[in-house]
């Protein structure tokens, strides 16, 4: 089998178009091609008068050696498959703390290996969690234990469900295949920028949960880990609080997949002497534009094509002041959400449904913060800064979410109606300088101007900023060795985005699988 890359095909191409393009690239007759299959598809919109798909295909031909010699775009296709760990006789049941992407795929891997993991999730199961989140969006009280950050599926459940990643790992394909098996569309196997959508993720995580349970795993919702109990330099149990009842769970291996917002967990680890370090993170705002404006800026006259979904973008710049500014987690046709997880504090994020058909598109607009920019020597100084920003935002409007137009921020008059903020339930007109540190706000202003030169209308006066966005990544990393253990405590296995080893659903899921593999080896050898 061979793979042919970089085939340019028109929007709305047919199977016949695909076959003929591959034959032309290989300099062979179409009849010499057998079993052709679309492998990857991306949109090439670099030239607005020629927006098209760039594809790769896998196929068999009658004379493979001759075809390969004639086409520089072709090469032998190695269809390597990830092998899930098989049934193992382990010395004890491992515990997985957190049921976001890392925790879910760690638990799934352990369950398939016969480990019967015990999963601890402080939030609610996804249906109950959604009820709590919807009530909060409608003006109800925040549930600090079950919200956009905490609960079955993790923070990614209320997101765009992006599954693209920059890492190269055989497990990436395995994760995509699992998502399809659990209910996602097969398109995610071929799209260069796959996404699931919040509305589809809720069913997928339930299906994954049921498989873990069917294999002997146990999942405890509304169950928060409050402490880790050690015997020498190793783990012997964890202390949990489940719906107000305290108990201990004996274990020799604990996977920490708690996510980046479990701040109380980081403080508990610090008190227990678990080795951690500061890491770079970012803060900023969400910027919203009309979806139609972004679509036209990216696709030109092709923006109305039924073969194109809402346009996305990814921008970055390094400013003269030394700051990096970039967009992150772009949500085409999505909405901004109140992603707070602590009382009397505000943090925002973005999400999209599968259809991506909302009136606005949004993305995070962030400026980076290096560890040496933080005051003092507290290892958790990044968390302190996040909390200060979130509290200022809350106090500014007594719980209303602060927003500001780009025109007001830049001092540019707006001649058209402003974009309507999508965040719920209530907003307040504010000044971003009253919430974010001055160097961050200054950097966002400069970044908007730079990005306005890259995408027409990015700096439009009617665009709206909603802030603060503080939870794009963890400000701390839990240090681990080459076998996945905490550097300071054997049996603790930090994993995923919160531990500082991932940056999105896909990379977190992959890290969860790798962490589970390390746990299996540890408990086999025990």
């Amino acid at each position: 089998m061979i793979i042919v890359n970089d085939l340019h095909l028109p929007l709305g191409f047919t199977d016949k178009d695909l076959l003929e393009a591959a034959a032309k690239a290989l300099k062979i007759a179409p009849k010499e091609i057998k079993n052709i299959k679309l492998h990857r598809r991306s949109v090439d919109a670099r030239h607005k008068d020629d927006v098209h798909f760039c594809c790769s295909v896998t196929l068999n031909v009658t004379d493979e050696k001759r075809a390969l010699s004639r086409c520089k775009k072709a090469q032998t296709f190695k269809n390597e498959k990830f092998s899930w760990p098989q049934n193992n006789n382990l010395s004890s049941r491992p515990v997985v703390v957190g049921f976001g992407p890392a925790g879910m795929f760690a638990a799934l891997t352990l369950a398939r290996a016969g480990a019967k993991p015990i999963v601890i999730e402080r939030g609610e199961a996804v249906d109950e969690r959604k009820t709590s989140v919807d009530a909060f969006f409608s003006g109800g009280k925040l549930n600090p234990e079950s919200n956009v950050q905490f609960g079955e599926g993790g923070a990614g459940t209320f997101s765009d469900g992006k599954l693209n990643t920059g890492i190269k790992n055989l497990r990436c394909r395995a994760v995509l295949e699992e998502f399809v098996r659990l209910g996602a569309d097969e398109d995610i196997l071929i799209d260069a920028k796959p996404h699931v959508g919040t509305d589809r993720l809720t069913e997928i995580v339930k299906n994954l949960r049921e498989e873990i349970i069917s294999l002997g795993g146990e999942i405890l919702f509304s169950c928060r880990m409050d402490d880790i109990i050690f015997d020498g330099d190793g783990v012997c149990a964890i202390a949990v609080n489940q719906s107000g009842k305290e108990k201990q769970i004996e274990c020799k291996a604990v996977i920490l997949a708690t996510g980046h917002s479990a701040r109380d967990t980081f403080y508990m680890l610090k008190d227990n002497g678990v080795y951690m370090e500061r890491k770079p993170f970012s803060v900023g705002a969400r910027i919203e534009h009309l979806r139609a404006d972004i679509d036209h800026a990216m696709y030109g006259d092709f923006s109305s094509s039924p073969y194109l979904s809402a346009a996305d973008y990814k921008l970055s710049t390094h400013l003269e002041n030394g700051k990096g500014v970039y967009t992150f987690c772009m949500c085409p046709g999505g909405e901004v959400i109140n992603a707070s997880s602590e009382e009397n504090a505000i943090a925002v994020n973005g999400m999209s449904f599968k259809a991506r058909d909302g009136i606005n598109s949004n993305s995070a607009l962030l400026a980076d913060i290096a560890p040496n920019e933080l005051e003092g020597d507290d290892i958790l100084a990044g968390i302190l800064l996040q909390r200060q920003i979130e509290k200022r935002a809350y106090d500014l409007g007594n719980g209303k979410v602060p927003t500001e137009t780009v025109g007001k921020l830049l001092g540019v008059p707006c001649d058209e109606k402003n974009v309507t903020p999508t965040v719920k339930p209530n907003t307040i007109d504010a000044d971003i300088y009253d919430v974010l540190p001055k160097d961050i706000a200054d950097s966002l202003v400069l970044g908007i101007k730079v990005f306005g030169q890259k995408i027409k209308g990015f700096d439009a006066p009617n665009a709206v900023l909603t802030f603060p966005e503080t939870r794009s990544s963890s400000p701390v990393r839990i240090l681990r060795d080459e076998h996945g253990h905490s550097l300071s405590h054997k049996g603790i296995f930090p994993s995923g985005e919160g531990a500082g080893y991932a940056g999105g659903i896909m990379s977190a899921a992959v890290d969860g699988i790798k962490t589970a593999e390390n746990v299996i080896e540890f408990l086999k050898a025990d």
Side-chain angles (χ1 to χ4, degrees):
M1 180 175 283
I2 63 176
I3 184 168
V4 184
N5 298 305
D6 197 28
L7 297 179
H8 293 193
L9 290 153
L11 304 180
F13 68 86
T14 64
D15 290 344
K16 182 182 178 183
D17 295 329
L18 195 67
L19 177 66
E20 291 177 348
K24 182 178 180 180
L26 293 168
K27 299 182 176 65
I28 60 176
K31 65 181 181 181
E32 296 182 62
I33 295 177
K34 305 173 183 178
N35 306 320
I36 187 170
K37 185 177 181 181
L38 184 60
H39 181 71
R40 186 74 46 162
R41 174 183 61 200
S42 62
V43 177
D44 186 339
R46 290 174 294 177
H47 304 288
K48 301 301 179 283
D49 59 347
D50 181 26
V51 177
H52 59 270
F53 285 114
C54 184
C55 301
S56 61
V57 295
T58 56
L59 45 82
N60 290 304
V61 295
T62 53
D63 189 338
E64 185 173 302
K65 185 176 180 181
R66 181 169 66 95
L68 288 171
S69 68
R70 291 183 171 192
C71 181
K72 293 181 179 180
K73 297 179 179 180
Q75 60 189 26
T76 301
F77 180 63
K78 297 178 181 179
N79 190 21
E80 297 179 276
K81 286 279 189 180
F82 172 69
S83 297
W84 294 85
Q86 299 301 303
N87 221 11
N88 288 277
N89 185 22
L90 305 183
S91 61
S92 65
R93 296 178 70 183
V95 170
V96 179
V97 182
F99 204 49
M104 288 190 299
F105 276 87
L108 180 65
T109 305
L110 292 167
R112 288 181 173 174
K116 299 180 180 179
I118 302 170
V119 179
I120 306 300
E121 171 52 57
R122 71 190 299 166
E124 297 166 304
V126 70
D127 286 337
E128 292 79 8
R129 178 190 183 194
K130 187 176 184 304
T131 298
S132 295
V133 169
D134 287 345
F136 176 56
F137 288 169
S138 298
K141 190 175 180 181
L142 172 73
N143 181 347
E145 297 297 332
S146 190
N147 44 61
V148 169
Q149 305 295 344
F150 302 142
E152 184 175 24
T157 299
F158 294 93
S159 70
D160 184 60
K162 293 177 183 64
L163 300 178
N164 51 302
T165 179
I167 66 173
K168 304 295 182 183
N169 191 293
L170 194 61
R171 298 169 185 82
C172 290
R173 179 73 180 187
V175 171
L176 290 174
E177 290 173 348
E178 287 305 306
F179 271 103
V180 170
R181 188 183 61 82
L182 294 165
D185 292 344
E186 291 190 4
D187 283 354
I188 68 171
L189 298 175
I190 60 173
D191 285 337
K193 297 179 180 179
H195 86 107
V196 179
T198 290
D199 46 337
R200 301 293 292 278
L201 279 168
T202 53
E203 292 303 314
I204 289 169
V205 299
K206 283 193 288 186
N207 291 337
L208 190 148
R209 175 223 303 167
E210 291 306 315
E211 178 169 346
I212 292 170
I213 294 172
S214 72
L215 294 171
E218 185 179 357
I219 302 177
L220 307 178
F221 292 111
S222 300
C223 187
R224 185 187 65 241
M225 180 184 69
D226 287 339
D227 202 3
I228 301 176
I229 300 164
F230 300 99
D231 181 8
D233 65 349
V235 176
C236 64
I238 62 170
V240 303
N241 184 311
Q242 185 175 22
S243 301
K245 296 182 180 179
E246 297 180 353
K247 64 178 180 179
Q248 291 188 6
I249 300 174
E250 294 184 358
C251 57
K252 296 179 181 179
V254 179
I255 293 178
L256 295 182
T258 57
H260 53 46
S261 292
R263 293 164 171 170
D264 49 0
T265 300
F266 290 120
Y267 278 95
M268 179 271 290
L269 296 174
K270 177 185 174 183
D271 291 341
N272 276 307
V274 175
Y275 292 171
M276 295 182 285
E277 67 178 4
R278 295 177 177 181
K279 63 176 282 294
F281 67 108
S282 305
V283 299
R286 279 269 154 184
I287 186 165
E288 286 192 274
H289 304 86
L290 292 175
R291 174 169 58 90
D293 291 347
I294 292 297
D295 289 353
H296 193 267
M298 299 303 295
Y299 295 146
D301 291 340
F302 287 84
S303 61
S304 60
S305 171
Y307 302 106
L308 294 172
S309 62
D312 66 358
Y313 56 76
K314 186 176 182 180
L315 301 167
S316 65
T317 186
H318 193 77
L319 302 172
E320 290 185 1
N321 66 5
K323 283 286 188 185
V325 176
Y326 63 100
T327 64
F328 174 75
C329 188
M330 198 270 170
C331 296
E335 59 189 76
V336 178
I337 59 173
N338 189 334
S340 305
S341 62
E342 296 181 344
E343 294 178 327
N344 303 322
I346 287 177
V348 300
N349 199 0
M351 66 175 238
S352 299
F353 294 120
K354 174 63 179 175
R356 287 179 164 177
D357 58 358
I359 194 169
N360 290 353
S361 289
N362 74 82
S363 73
L365 178 68
L366 304 172
D368 57 25
I369 298 175
N372 61 8
E373 295 181 80
L374 298 170
E375 296 181 359
D377 57 2
D378 189 339
I379 202 73
L380 302 181
I383 291 176
L384 292 173
L385 177 60
Q386 288 175 326
R387 279 178 160 165
Q388 290 169 1
I389 292 170
E390 292 169 13
K391 186 177 187 306
R392 283 201 294 269
Y394 183 92
D395 291 344
L396 194 65
N398 193 28
K400 294 180 179 179
V401 181
T403 65
E404 183 175 18
T405 64
V406 168
K408 176 172 173 285
L409 178 64
L410 301 184
V412 178
C414 182
D415 297 329
E416 52 188 312
K417 187 177 180 181
N418 293 337
V419 173
T420 302
T422 53
V423 69
K424 300 180 183 72
N426 299 305
T427 64
I428 183 172
D429 292 334
D431 186 336
I432 201 168
Y433 280 89
D434 290 336
V435 175
L436 298 180
K438 185 177 184 301
D439 62 332
I440 299 295
D442 285 344
S443 298
L444 296 187
V445 169
L446 295 173
I448 289 171
K449 293 178 179 179
V450 171
F451 296 156
Q453 297 172 3
K454 296 183 177 183
I455 294 179
K456 183 180 180 180
F458 190 91
D459 56 351
N462 72 327
V464 171
L465 295 163
T466 305
F467 44 92
E469 166 112 6
T470 51
R471 310 288 184 92
S472 60
S473 63
S474 176
V476 66
R477 178 177 290 111
I478 307 170
L479 299 177
R480 64 187 186 189
D481 64 19
E482 67 274 18
H483 300 295
H485 293 269
S486 160
L487 276 182
S488 55
H489 294 80
K490 189 175 181 180
I492 293 180
F493 292 83
S495 185
E497 192 165 343
Y501 295 98
I505 292 174
M506 178 65 79
S507 59
V510 168
D511 196 62
I513 294 172
K514 292 165 64 177
T515 304
E517 293 169 338
N518 285 327
V519 168
I520 290 168
E521 290 304 309
F522 171 60
L523 294 179
K524 278 168 60 178
D526 184 53

